[in-house]
Each structure stands twice: as C-alpha cells, then as structure tokens.
Amino acid sequence: MSVIIGQKEYFKGIGQIKFEGVESDNPFAFRYYDENRIVAGKSMKEHLRFAIAYWHSFCGDGADPFGPGTHHYPWDVASDARQRAADKADAAFEFITKMGAPYYCFHDVDAIDGHNDPKEFGDRVKFITDIFAKKQAESGVKLLWGTANLFSNERYMNGASTNPNFEVVAHAGAQLKGAIDATITLGGEGYVFWGGREGYMSLLNTDMKRERENFARMLHTCVEYARRNGFKGKFFIEPKPCEPTKHQYDYDAATVIGFLREFDLLSEFGLNLEVNHATLAGHTFAHECQVASDAGMLASIDANRGDTQNGWDTDQFPTDIYEWAEAMSIILKQGGLAGGGINFDAKRRRNSTDMADLFYAHIGGMDTIARSLLIAEKIAKHGEMDRLKAERYASFNSGKGADYAAGKLKLEDLYKIAIEVGEPAQISGKQEYLENLLGRFV
Ligand code: XUL
Ligand code: CO
C-alpha cells in the first residue's frame, strides 16, 4: 500500500509565529523569544535549542485516570498504521516549523504505533525514520534526541532493563536497538534513557542489587552498540524519583551521578533534567541544575512545571519566571547546555481542546524561558550576586583557610587555630537582600 505525505495543512489559519516584542497584543507572536537576538555572545536560538516533544503535542489525547481522551486529532484517523504515522509527521513538521523550533524529540511509539512482533515494529520504525529524514531535510528541523518507550507495553509491567525475566530484557534490547538506529540515521544530537519502570513497586519481591546491575549492563550494551554504529552524540539520563514506580532507580541528579560513577558510565552520559521531576524529588529545579552543573553533567532539559497543590507529574507548560531565572543563571554560568537543548515535555490541559491552545502553550513556554535568559544575562552583568557569593567563601582563598582547602592541615592544627582566632564574628547570609536583588531583575 502506498502512503500519501505532505498533502494537507493541519493548522489552518495560523501562520509562522514571529517575534513582535513586549508591546505586541498578538497572542500568536513572541514577546521575548527573538531567535536572532544576541545574548552573552550567542543567539537566543543557539542558547535555548528549543525542541517540541512529539508525544504530548501530537499523540497525547488528554486522558486522565478519571476519563478517556478529549483531544481528537485529524491526523489520527486513517485505518492503516503507516498512513496514520505519515499524517502525524505532516502535522508535526508543520507545527514545529510554524513555531520556529529548531528541534524535536520522540519515542519510537510516538512516531508510529507499537507492535508486539519486534520484526514488524522494527520495520515500522524504519518506515517512519525515512519519512522523518525527508521532513528534516525539507524543513531544516533537527532531532535533539530519540528514545524508546520501555514503559507502556504491558510486557514491561515488572520493568524493562531491570525486569526479573531475561526474555523481557531481550525485548527491551530489541526495542532499544531500533530506537538507537533511528536516532543515528536522523543525526540525533542525543539519546535519552528515561527508566519509567526501572525501579520497584515493592522491595518484598525485588533484588535491588541485581536490578541496578542489570540496568547498568543494558546502558553499557547500548553505548557499545551505538558507538560501533557511528553515534557521535551524547547519552542522557533523565532522573525521576517515582511514578509510575513507587521508587525509580534514577531518583534525582545526585543519585544518577553516583550510579553512573559506580558503573563506570560517567564519561558517556549527561543529565536531562525535568523541572517537574525535580519537584517530585523534593528539590527545586535550580537545585537539580546546580548539582548537575557542579559535576559537569548538566546537558539537557525537559521543560515543564508541576502544580503546587498536586503531588504528581502534571507536565504543565512553564510560566514560573523566578524558577527559570535561577536555573538559567546556572546554565549561563556553565556556558550553556552541554550537548542538549530545552525540550517541552509539557502538555495542554485536558480541557484545552482548540488547536490554537497548542500554539499558545508553546509560545508562553518559549517566552518564559527566553525572558529568563535575558534576566540571567542582566544578573551576570550586574555581578553583585556572584560577588556576594564569592565573598562568603573568601576565607578559603588565603592563609590558613587556603592551607586547609589544599589538604595541608591536620585536625590538631584546626584545634590550635580555633583557640587562636577565638569566637568567629557573625556573618549574615543576606538571604532577603539576595531575594530582593533577584526580584529586581525579574
Ligand atoms: C516522563 C517523561 C518522559 C521522558 C522520555 O515523566 O518525562 O516523557 O521525558 O521518556
Ligand atoms: Co521528560
């Protein structure tokens, strides 16, 4: 059966979204995201490397635990799986192009329907990969990262790479091979591992030591395969503490960094931090960014936000300018994201049912983040925030403090110094002052 592509316009009446500035009243325009504007030596486009998430934007139907989907897509009607996937690709590339986003991201099963036969599924993924390759060449849109969905199929109910049954692990491997092949063919800049079911529901039936070892074994197996087959990009792990499992092994940035170090995977990987996952781990987004950045591991971001009253992954579009200003300051300080970009792993609300809502959601998200970049630049230029932080630790820069930091002092030396210096003077942490300073730039 031959498949028809590129014949339809799905988002009729909505044209290219352009920058019009803060005075603009046009809801279909950017007020802050000006892709060519130079900020700290690079264009906004290069700094932010925005990506559209295939799953939420073109597959997510708005279903929740209390009811089925409310989003009905005109590209999701053909009876043949390949034609449906081709129609979805038409809609996706139309949207991504109209938004002016340079990148997209996808799971294998977002691109085309899954199939239990690994050969048939592999063929389907190859089929859609060819279409994506054509669409990328026509539009100039690039693949930020690819990934395999190893959590939806019921065979993964006890985990994928951490499944207690080796046969399920083999199926996970088959799927990973297909998704890695697609990522390589499409020139993906990264490959993401998010272990949705790589954790446990109960320790009573779980050999955690073996599961973590098996998880690391699969990562090594994938890295070896991808490198042997020409993958030049970066591997990312996306931490999340729980949901759908009670406990996920990739709990948070610090846990993942420890895991990668324990299993000798540190050099191949970076972290893809998701805002709402940080919240679920009981951290701020800035905390996760700082932990990752300090370890040289802050590579990519899944942009969204939670809801302060709901303790689950609501995946809302970013609007919190304070949250982003703090995080962006950390990103800017490390010279940008290491190998990744900013992917909108965010979804419209169930009752946001107009096609226009998909545009408003992304325009708002891109503007929030672009604005945070401008704020971060101002904070850096002003310099007081950095200066105050540095001053707080100045006692380690010279004299005995520097000797101590260099490992030259023994515990007995500290005893002598404590007697010599007497009671230290009180030094204010100036938190409110710094909060005001941040507020001034926001
Ligand atoms: C789930 C989540 C995933 C990953 C990719 O919480 O964030 O969509 O980003 O598998
Ligand atoms: Co994510």
Side-chain angles (χ1 to χ4, degrees):
M1 188 189 149
S2 70
V3 160
I4 304 161
I5 44 170
Q7 304 265 298
K8 259 204 192 148
E9 189 183 357
Y10 286 96
F11 303 96
K12 281 212 178 76
I14 301 174
Q16 186 72 37
I17 308 300
K18 297 196 185 99
F19 171 71
E20 292 184 7
V22 284
E23 302 304 328
S24 175
D25 247 349
N26 177 6
F28 291 105
F30 295 118
R31 301 170 81 244
Y32 293 94
Y33 181 60
D34 178 2
E35 59 173 32
N36 297 316
R37 176 165 177 181
I38 303 295
V39 182
K42 271 194 289 188
S43 71
M44 274 195 164
K45 188 175 174 178
E46 288 170 290
H47 266 289
L48 303 174
R49 295 154 63 87
F50 283 131
I52 307 295
Y54 219 83
W55 51 105
H56 287 311
S57 293
F58 314 115
C59 312
D61 63 4
D64 71 13
F66 298 91
T70 52
H71 301 164
H72 307 289
Y73 294 124
W75 52 84
D76 195 30
V77 291
S79 56
D80 175 64
R82 285 170 171 75
Q83 182 63 60
R84 233 177 18 257
D87 291 343
K88 185 158 50 174
D90 281 343
F93 279 81
E94 182 193 329
F95 178 78
I96 298 165
T97 309
K98 283 183 170 172
M99 283 307 309
Y103 292 101
Y104 71 113
C105 301
F106 70 94
H107 300 85
D108 46 6
V109 302
D110 310 330
I112 193 156
D113 292 359
H115 198 285
N116 276 342
D117 171 8
K119 247 198 107 314
E120 166 60 14
F121 185 50
D123 289 347
R124 286 186 180 193
V125 172
K126 279 198 197 100
F127 163 85
I128 197 66
T129 300
D130 287 345
I131 292 181
F132 281 178
K134 282 194 198 97
K135 298 255 173 210
Q136 286 184 202
E138 278 163 25
S139 62
V141 170
K142 293 187 277 186
L143 178 62
L144 185 65
W145 48 260
T147 189
N149 175 326
L150 299 178
F151 41 90
S152 294
N153 189 298
E154 71 176 64
R155 74 163 74 94
Y156 300 129
M157 66 178 190
N158 291 308
S161 306
T162 61
N163 198 290
N165 177 0
F166 170 66
E167 291 180 4
V168 178
V169 173
H171 273 271
Q175 216 181 312
L176 281 159
K177 179 182 176 304
I180 291 170
D181 287 342
T183 304
I184 295 172
T185 305
L186 295 170
E189 301 196 8
Y191 184 88
V192 160
F193 293 88
W194 173 63
R197 297 196 192 269
E198 313 297 22
Y200 61 79
M201 302 304 284
S202 167
L203 270 180
L204 295 176
N205 61 12
T206 302
D207 180 345
M208 181 151 64
K209 183 170 189 296
R210 188 180 274 247
E211 290 201 1
R212 289 176 71 255
E213 285 165 1
N214 282 349
F215 190 27
R217 171 63 53 220
M218 186 62 93
L219 295 179
H220 273 291
T221 307
C222 288
V223 169
E224 188 280 325
Y225 175 80
R227 292 298 180 219
R228 178 158 46 84
N229 285 279
F231 180 60
K232 299 272 184 298
K234 192 102 189 144
F235 297 95
F236 302 129
I237 290 205
E238 184 176 322
K240 186 173 180 181
C242 54
E243 197 193 75
T245 55
K246 168 189 161 61
H247 174 90
Q248 192 170 311
Y249 297 134
D250 296 333
Y251 196 91
D252 61 2
T255 309
V256 171
I257 292 166
F259 171 85
L260 293 171
R261 184 170 286 128
E262 180 180 352
F263 292 100
D264 196 21
L265 286 156
L266 217 42
S267 62
E268 291 283 4
F269 281 81
L271 298 187
N272 180 42
L273 298 177
E274 180 162 324
V275 185
N276 204 169
H277 296 178
T279 320
L280 290 178
H283 302 310
T284 60
F285 179 42
H287 167 95
E288 287 293 84
C289 289
Q290 193 68 66
V291 168
S293 182
D294 289 347
M297 296 289 284
L298 174 49
S300 207
I301 283 170
D302 267 11
N304 58 23
R305 76 184 151 96
D307 178 297
T308 39
Q309 276 86 44
N310 288 349
W312 52 289
D313 202 6
T314 59
D315 284 342
Q316 288 165 251
F317 275 82
T319 54
D320 188 334
I321 193 73
Y322 276 91
E323 180 168 65
W324 273 92
E326 231 185 303
M328 194 55 80
S329 291
I330 298 166
I331 297 167
L332 198 61
K333 200 161 290 166
Q334 70 158 35
L337 292 165
I342 299 178
N343 167 50
F344 286 99
D345 193 354
K347 60 190 177 208
R348 289 172 289 150
R349 299 302 87 194
R350 175 177 163 78
N351 56 351
S352 296
T353 48
D354 294 343
M355 283 294 172
D357 293 321
L358 191 60
F359 284 87
Y360 298 145
H362 284 89
I363 291 168
M366 287 161 83
D367 264 349
T368 298
I369 296 170
R371 198 173 160 194
S372 79
L373 177 63
L374 297 173
I375 294 165
E377 188 196 32
K378 276 194 215 149
I379 292 172
K381 270 195 185 148
H382 183 264
E384 191 178 3
M385 200 99 84
D386 285 338
R387 205 163 49 244
L388 286 177
K389 203 185 265 193
E391 266 171 26
R392 240 184 138 208
Y393 300 89
S395 61
F396 292 95
N397 296 343
S398 59
K400 297 285 182 212
D403 289 346
Y404 172 73
K408 290 180 189 159
L409 300 188
K410 299 216 161 22
L411 208 53
E412 299 90 311
D413 298 322
L414 298 185
Y415 176 77
K416 274 190 222 136
I417 294 166
I419 291 169
E420 246 168 65
V421 297
E423 187 56 31
Q426 255 188 357
I427 303 174
S428 170
K430 295 188 171 60
Q431 183 173 328
E432 294 78 5
Y433 178 78
L434 288 161
E435 284 166 354
N436 294 353
L437 198 56
L438 176 64
R440 206 193 300 170
F441 294 108
V442 170

